[in-house]
Amino acid sequence: MTTLRQLSYLVALADTRNFRRAADAVHIAQPTLSQQVRALEARLGVTLVERNESPVQLTPIGRDLVTRARRILLDVKDAEDMVRRSRAGIAGTIRFGVTPTLGPYLMPRIVASLHRRFPDLRLYIREGIPDEQVRELARGALDMVLSPLPVSGSDLHIEPLFREPLHIVCPPEHPLGRSAKVRRGDLAGIGFLSLDRRHHAHRQAREICDDLKATLLEDYEGTSLDSLRQMCGSGLGFAILPELYLRSEVGGADMVTRLPMAGWTASRSLAAVWRDGSAYADSYATIAETIAVEARSILAGPAL
């Protein structure tokens, strides 16, 4: 008889392409995982894994079975969540993915607000690349994601939350930083810093640079908004930073200067994402609403 456990082992093997890492992912010994995958193959009468390949490759029928197994395992998880949800209300631990271009500057306020309202709710927060986290969400490794738009993927509920203004900043000693008004043409040829190309922010910075006829500095990619601010403050180039970061105590504009741009605005849209049909959809919607309310409250208030 094919078991859910065997299917979960096969999915782990498909994700890691390595028997040892797959065994670590599902918290069993490697010989046990290998034995269970062979037992599944024997039960079905087909070869699912090409064992002489490195990394491990699945056969065509193995890949098809993994696709179906993911859906089966997610359906079972959602059914179990539904039972827990009916007993506990908004409680338990939610695995929450968030972009590092927002999480450190907004989530502390969100966590405090949610804890006051729902003391039995726990958030296991993981920062990561939004595109990668959406794939983890689809696999069931995360329950909910806070990400810049656009977000792509099937069987996902995407809840737009708020728009956040973006600002061009420069080193304090740059002549444009002392101008009363900066025009688009003043930025032609200026070098701009950005995060690495896996981030939404990189793609948006490229679009802005193209629009302003500025130059994106490919050799100096930051790993965080802090690194962008610090590199900009050191004179390495201009940067594009979001409003919530510039208003935050951990970020701020202490070493950069906002440019008073004439006739130019830019923003990014943030959304909460969870799987369609999730048993905790009502809870996720409540969390999403809390995020939107808190973010809009900060953006409506005076700048620091």
Side-chain angles (χ1 to χ4, degrees):
M1 178 180 178
T2 301
T3 67
L4 292 174
R5 185 168 299 173
Q6 288 172 332
L7 293 178
S8 71
Y9 296 164
L10 183 64
V11 168
L13 189 56
D15 288 340
T16 62
R17 300 299 179 90
N18 179 279
F19 277 92
R20 180 184 58 79
R21 289 198 296 271
D24 289 343
V26 294
H27 310 294
I28 61 171
Q30 180 179 332
T32 302
L33 184 137
S34 299
Q35 180 184 16
Q36 288 298 311
V37 171
R38 287 192 182 279
L40 178 60
E41 290 177 316
R43 173 70 180 84
L44 298 176
V46 295
T47 299
L48 301 172
V49 180
E50 299 286 356
R51 289 170 175 80
N52 58 344
E53 298 288 338
S54 182
V56 170
Q57 300 293 325
L58 272 65
T59 63
I61 187 64
R63 292 193 296 270
D64 289 345
L65 181 58
V66 164
T67 299
R68 293 174 181 268
R70 290 189 196 279
R71 173 48 57 192
I72 291 169
L73 293 170
L74 284 174
D75 285 345
V76 170
K77 178 184 180 299
D78 286 342
E80 292 171 344
D81 287 347
M82 179 178 63
V83 173
R84 286 192 292 268
R85 170 81 167 81
S86 66
R87 295 172 181 166
I90 299 184
T93 301
I94 291 175
R95 295 166 299 176
F96 189 94
V98 61
T99 172
T101 64
L102 185 66
Y105 323 112
L106 178 62
M107 289 310 296
R109 182 159 169 169
I110 300 302
V111 169
S113 177
L114 287 170
H115 188 64
R116 287 193 298 269
R117 296 176 62 191
F118 311 109
D120 294 325
L121 174 66
R122 303 289 183 266
L123 290 180
Y124 169 45
I125 298 174
R126 290 173 52 192
E127 292 185 8
I129 305 299
D131 291 348
E132 295 174 1
Q133 290 199 325
V134 168
R135 289 193 288 271
E136 291 185 68
L137 176 67
R139 294 200 304 266
L142 291 173
D143 300 314
M144 183 178 182
V145 169
L146 179 60
S147 170
L149 291 172
V151 171
S152 60
S154 58
D155 300 323
L156 297 178
H157 177 90
I158 301 171
E159 186 74 21
L161 301 181
F162 63 94
R163 295 181 69 86
E164 180 182 16
L166 301 175
H167 299 279
I168 297 174
V169 298
C170 72
E173 73 280 2
H174 196 282
L176 286 179
R178 296 190 291 270
S179 300
K181 184 179 295 185
V182 178
R183 295 172 175 80
R184 298 162 62 94
D186 296 331
L187 298 176
I190 293 288
F192 275 73
L193 303 157
S194 183
L195 300 179
D196 78 63
R197 62 198 62 214
R198 296 174 300 163
H199 286 272
H200 286 69
H202 177 92
R203 297 191 286 271
Q204 190 164 20
R206 180 177 295 281
E207 292 171 358
I208 290 172
C209 285
D210 289 344
D211 177 58
L212 297 174
K213 296 182 173 55
T215 301
L216 191 63
L217 300 175
E218 304 279 3
D219 293 336
Y220 301 103
E221 293 179 341
T223 56
S224 67
L225 295 183
D226 284 341
S227 67
L228 287 185
R229 177 173 59 103
Q230 291 159 13
M231 288 191 294
C232 176
S234 77
L236 194 57
F238 285 27
I240 302 163
L241 296 176
E243 178 75 19
L244 288 173
Y245 174 78
L246 289 171
R247 286 174 179 251
S248 69
E249 295 179 359
V250 292
D254 60 312
M255 64 181 69
V256 295
T257 299
R258 295 195 198 200
L259 292 186
M261 293 294 298
W264 182 89
T265 58
S267 63
R268 64 174 181 170
S269 297
L270 283 299
V273 188
W274 57 87
R275 293 188 305 278
D276 270 336
S278 170
Y280 280 83
D282 289 347
S283 297
Y284 302 153
T286 299
I287 294 171
E289 180 184 8
T290 300
I291 294 170
V293 168
E294 294 292 344
R296 290 169 184 159
S297 174
I298 297 172
L299 293 171
L304 294 178

